[in-house]
Structures are given as structure tokens and as C-alpha cells.
Amino acid sequence: MSIPPFLIAERVDTIVKDGKTSYDTVFHQVKDFTLTNQLGEQVSLSQMEGKILVVNYFFTSCPTICPTLIKNLKKVQDTYTKNDTLIQILSLSVDPVRDSVPVIKHYADSKGIDPRNWWLLTGDKKKIYDLARHEFFVNALEGDGGPDDFIHTEKFVLIDKDRFIRGYYNGMDTSDVARMVNDIAILHIAKNKKKPGLLKRLFSGGDK
């Protein structure tokens, strides 16, 4: 069982103790932020203490990759139906001007999304795009978050309970999404020293 590595090193600190030099890699921790979910609630990262996070980007009018991303995330949510306090799925809209609260609420309801542990988020576009580039690192191209700026990514980001990034996955690939579900369970086991028994339904039934 391989524990997912820490990703996104920010710096390496030099430590000198008792005449011996060692080096400590400092990894990126996602900073707190506040956005609005499909229920019209202002929610922040600090409210999700103790949960493993799965983050992705989407927009409700997307005709190409987003329907598949949402379908695969629904399988992840269904896998954790009996353990819905373990994870929190966060889907941030890249088109927040059009994706108002009523729009994302209708979209969530049409997809059967349970708001207990899956929030569709909208808010200030610049903030959402800054998060993509400088907190979740799903887009390497710089932009200003203005009207002509656009991000479209198939990546799922796995973030542990201490807000370290532990994995990137292709949300279009069911085998890669199954690997993410396995990594979620491994992180939970490593943290709590007990097996949660969540690996029984890893996309074994195929697409419905």
C-alpha cells in the first residue's frame, strides 16, 4: 500500500543542529477561502476541518468534458454514501457570472448531487481563477481573471485533512478516478490507523 506523496514543494529549509546540516522540504498548504455554494450559503475551507477534499473546475453550460467529470464525481460520492463525513467534493465554476446560485442549484439537483458533502461553488471570478492557479495549481498559464480569461481542466485535485495536495487525476478516465478513490481510503487509513472498508465499490458496476 503506497501512501500518496506530498506535492507542490514551495521551498527547502536548511537546518543546522549540533553541527549537522539537514534539509527540510516545505510543501504548499491550501489557504482558506470563502465562496457561495448551491444552497446560497457562504462556505469556507475552515468549515471542512477533518475532511479529505476533492476539488475540480466546471461550468454548467459546458457541453464537452464537464458532464463526464460530474458523472465520475457522482460515482465518487456514491462510493462514500455511508461515510459522507469523510470527504468533501468542491466543484468551482469557471463561469461564475452565468453560474448564479439558482443556476448551480438547478444543475446540482438535475445531477442528483447530495449537498451534504458535495458543494458546487460560485463567487468572484478573479478569486476562483487565482485559486486555480496559485492554490490548486490546475492551470500553468497566467491570467487576470477578467472577461477574456478562461480555464478548462479535466484535473481532480486530492487534498488531505491538513490541506496538503496529495494527488492529481484525470477526471475523464474512470481508472484514474478509481485510483483517486483508493488514495482517499489510504490517506484515511494512514491518518486514523484503521481500515474504513470503503474499497468495495470502485467503479465495479460500469457506467449506468
Side-chain angles (χ1 to χ4, degrees), residues 178-207:
R179 180 173 66 89
M180 181 183 74
V181 174
N182 184 70
D183 285 349
I184 291 170
I186 291 171
L187 287 176
H188 185 58
I189 294 166
K191 190 76 173 179
N192 295 289
K193 308 300 183 184
K194 62 181 181 180
K195 190 171 184 177
L198 296 174
L199 301 180
K200 294 179 181 179
R201 296 179 60 238
L202 301 184
F203 296 81
S204 57
D207 293 341

Side-chain angles (χ1 to χ4, degrees), residues 6 13 59 87 136 142 161 182 192:
F6 291 88
D13 290 344
F59 59 108
I87 68 166
F136 304 127
E142 282 301 325
K161 297 176 184 180
N182 184 70
N192 295 289

Side-chain angles (χ1 to χ4, degrees), residues 4 9 14 21 25 32 38 40 43 46 48 70 91 97 99 112 118 121 123-124 131 133 140 155 171 176 187:
T14 301
T21 301
T25 302
D32 195 17
Q38 69 265 40
V43 294
S46 59
M48 293 164 259
I70 296 299
S91 295
V97 174
D99 285 344
W118 186 353
L121 298 174
D124 178 72
L131 288 170
R133 291 181 168 113
K155 291 179 182 177
D176 213 29
L187 287 176

Side-chain angles (χ1 to χ4, degrees), residues 35-43 101 104 115 119-122:
L35 292 169
T36 305
N37 69 11
Q38 69 265 40
L39 303 178
E41 301 168 336
Q42 292 284 301
V43 294
V101 170
I104 60 174
W119 290 339
L120 277 57
L121 298 174
T122 188

Side-chain angles (χ1 to χ4, degrees), residues 6 10 36 50 65 79 86 107 116 121 153 161 168 182 196 206:
F6 291 88
E10 291 192 331
T36 305
I65 70 172
T79 300
L86 172 61
Y107 186 84
R116 287 181 298 175
L121 298 174
T153 175
K161 297 176 184 180
Y168 291 98
N182 184 70

Side-chain angles (χ1 to χ4, degrees), residues 11-29:
R11 67 180 189 274
V12 177
D13 290 344
T14 301
I15 302 169
V16 179
K17 185 177 181 180
D18 299 328
K20 297 181 179 179
T21 301
S22 61
Y23 302 94
D24 182 33
T25 302
V26 178
F27 291 91
H28 174 74
Q29 281 182 291

Side-chain angles (χ1 to χ4, degrees), residues 83-103:
N83 298 271
D84 59 8
T85 60
L86 172 61
I87 68 166
Q88 184 77 32
I89 302 171
L90 304 176
S91 295
L92 286 70
S93 173
V94 298
D95 188 16
V97 174
R98 293 184 180 87
D99 285 344
S100 62
V101 170
V103 170

